[in-house]
Amino acid sequence: MAPRTATLVLSGGGAKGAFQVGAERILREEHGYRWDRVFGVSVGALNATLIGQGEYRRLLDVWRSIREQDVYRRFSWFGVGLRIALLKRRGMYDNRPLRATLERHAAGRPFELPVHVGRVSLVTGDYELVRENDPGFLDAVWHSTTMPVIWEPVGERAWVDGGVRNVTPLGDALKHEPEEIVVIECDSGRLEASEPPGNILEAAKRSLAEVAINEIMHNDVREFVRINDLVKQAETAGVALRKPDGTPLRYCPITIVKPEAQLGDTLDFSSAMIEHRIRAGETAARKAVAPG
């Protein structure tokens, strides 16, 4: 099988990131994809880190062994109220266990290819991309996975999930003029009806992780596909579409892998659900690149 070079883009999605692990494995092992660089935000930043290190077996093992306590510390509603009212915390739960998990599985290992992760400062509102050769890279990965409201913003610049501004970092990838792009999303794009939120956590997850971020992500992908198709049509007609600075736009083949159905709760780290998401990723990847 001839290698197929592409840039990999990994979206956010919390515990649904297990879907990306199954999909990436099939693309690489069964369809010959070789990544020239990886971009990730939120859980995509975590997955991108181990993929960039070539730690494919480790990544699968991490997901199959991960438990809620490896990601965050949950509190009773009394404890949440105490944290917010008296301790002036800015998040309901504590996600410092995830920083320790990152250190345990990724610290000190060399990278085999460039990795870019995105985070957002709630102080400036700016989106920042951090490379794997930055001394604070693992901190940036942790920042990128920090969902606001649910977890506390990190540091003086109040770093949070890069998905707040850039759920699928396609624009970042295009700046490197890739031969091909593969996007692995964690959401089907179809919002399903749910019961009214029963508490503030459910309201936060529904509004941030499902409704708002879902809309940002799919708008980004739809807009890219629309412009990309226009560029291809123009090239076929012998016309070059140009950017505002005058440089020509270039058509870039893109493969999008996403679930056929919703994958459950963003914070559900149960073993059965993780395994279901991995299998769903494998199935979706096979269908996405099936002949015809």
Side-chain angles (χ1 to χ4, degrees), residues 191-205:
L191 279 175
E192 297 177 352
S194 69
E195 295 295 323
N199 53 55
I200 190 173
L201 174 62
E202 291 179 3
K205 286 192 298 180

Side-chain angles (χ1 to χ4, degrees), residues 160-238:
V160 295
D161 189 340
V164 171
R165 286 278 307 265
N166 205 9
V167 185
T168 305
L170 272 169
D172 299 326
L174 287 171
K175 293 175 184 176
H176 293 268
E177 299 188 347
E179 296 180 24
E180 181 179 354
I181 291 178
V182 173
V183 179
I184 306 180
E185 302 178 12
C186 295
D187 197 281
S188 69
R190 297 185 299 274
L191 279 175
E192 297 177 352
S194 69
E195 295 295 323
N199 53 55
I200 190 173
L201 174 62
E202 291 179 3
K205 286 192 298 180
R206 181 65 173 169
S207 60
L208 289 171
E210 296 177 19
V211 178
I213 288 180
N214 178 287
E215 186 66 16
I216 294 169
M217 174 172 63
H218 292 289
N219 280 347
D220 286 352
V221 174
R222 282 194 296 267
E223 184 65 6
F224 171 83
V225 171
R226 184 183 71 83
I227 294 174
N228 206 37
D229 286 345
L230 289 173
V231 171
K232 186 175 183 179
Q233 292 173 34
E235 288 178 352
T236 301

Side-chain angles (χ1 to χ4, degrees), residues 116-183:
H116 311 248
V117 302
R119 61 184 177 181
V120 169
S121 168
L122 293 185
V123 174
T124 65
D126 292 337
Y127 173 81
E128 179 180 276
L129 210 58
V130 181
R131 279 283 304 270
E132 84 293 336
N133 53 5
D134 189 299
F137 178 75
L138 287 188
D139 283 328
V141 174
W142 179 41
H143 301 159
S144 188
T145 61
T146 300
M147 290 185 285
V149 181
I150 297 173
W151 295 321
E152 186 167 15
V154 182
E156 294 182 358
R157 294 186 63 187
W159 294 112
V160 295
D161 189 340
V164 171
R165 286 278 307 265
N166 205 9
V167 185
T168 305
L170 272 169
D172 299 326
L174 287 171
K175 293 175 184 176
H176 293 268
E177 299 188 347
E179 296 180 24
E180 181 179 354
I181 291 178
V182 173
V183 179

Side-chain angles (χ1 to χ4, degrees), residues 86-106:
L86 296 182
L87 301 180
K88 307 300 181 184
R89 297 293 189 183
R90 298 165 295 170
M92 289 184 288
Y93 297 152
D94 179 2
N95 74 330
R96 285 178 294 178
L98 180 57
R99 182 64 183 83
T101 299
L102 277 168
E103 189 73 23
R104 186 164 64 252
H105 293 290

Side-chain angles (χ1 to χ4, degrees), residues 14-23 43 47 60 63 186 263 273-275 277-279 281:
K16 292 182 279 191
F19 174 88
Q20 294 175 341
V21 178
V43 71
N47 289 336
L60 185 60
W63 274 102
C186 295
L263 294 175
M273 185 55 76
I274 293 295
E275 195 63 33
R277 291 163 177 157
I278 291 171
R279 298 304 179 200

